[in-house]
Amino acid sequence: MDRNSVPSKLQSRAAGRAPRVGRACVFAVILALVAPGCSTVSRQVQERTSNLLARVDVVNRTPYAWRLNFRREGNREQVVAVRPGRTVSVEVTPGIYRIEQHAEDVPASAELFRSIDETFEAGQHYRWPLLTLLSDPVPAPRS
């Protein structure tokens, strides 16, 4: 464009938009840098929080429904019900627990009741299988 020529309306509009487009680009770059940082922080906090607990998967491989009581001194008891063939996950605070398990809806028997002391550590994942000698039917002998 010469010094003496007059800019067209199209050139004037484009020149007026340049600062706005530049500001929009700067805003988009700042947003792109800040937004992922926010979501990363929440994931890190979530991971750190879950590492403070122990996870116990109670796996019921029996035809009985079971009730487990997780007792820890000074804490409230956690009760877990597990239906036949199901798995239930429980998150517990680390420490030493007295765990009582008993089969439900069956006559009380020593074979279907157990009390165990167990230690759970933070960030660990445990599997607690429920099994009994009576779980699998014994095939009838052939004559």
Side-chain angles (χ1 to χ4, degrees):
M1 190 158 75
D2 296 353
R3 270 195 246 203
N4 295 335
S5 63
V6 177
S8 70
K9 286 184 181 181
L10 185 59
Q11 290 171 335
S12 296
R13 280 192 217 151
R17 285 188 204 154
R20 282 186 274 160
V21 171
R23 280 182 272 180
C25 288
V26 169
F27 178 73
V29 168
I30 290 172
L31 185 62
L33 293 174
V34 172
C38 294
S39 63
T40 303
V41 170
S42 66
R43 269 187 265 135
Q44 289 171 348
V45 170
Q46 183 180 11
E47 288 171 10
R48 201 175 308 130
T49 302
S50 64
N51 286 339
L52 298 175
L53 301 173
R55 181 175 169 184
V56 182
D57 291 339
V58 181
V59 182
N60 187 355
R61 297 181 180 161
T62 72
Y64 306 107
W66 291 86
R67 181 166 302 276
L68 283 80
N69 298 337
F70 288 78
R71 292 187 179 134
R72 182 170 172 230
E73 193 173 310
N75 285 359
R76 241 180 40 169
E77 173 180 84
Q78 247 181 303
V79 179
V80 178
V82 188
R83 295 191 339 227
R86 301 293 176 136
T87 299
V88 175
S89 294
V90 183
E91 288 188 335
V92 295
T93 55
I96 300 171
Y97 284 81
R98 160 82 40 165
I99 302 170
E100 294 177 354
Q101 64 183 48
H102 66 276
E104 296 185 312
D105 301 328
V106 293
S109 77
E111 292 83 24
L112 298 176
F113 176 84
R114 188 164 84 165
S115 180
I116 299 171
D117 290 330
E118 188 65 45
T119 302
F120 298 111
E121 295 181 21
Q124 297 300 312
H125 189 157
Y126 300 89
R127 287 183 63 77
W128 187 279
L130 297 171
L131 301 167
T132 65
L133 293 175
L134 304 175
S135 296
D136 297 319
V138 178
R142 295 182 185 198
S143 36

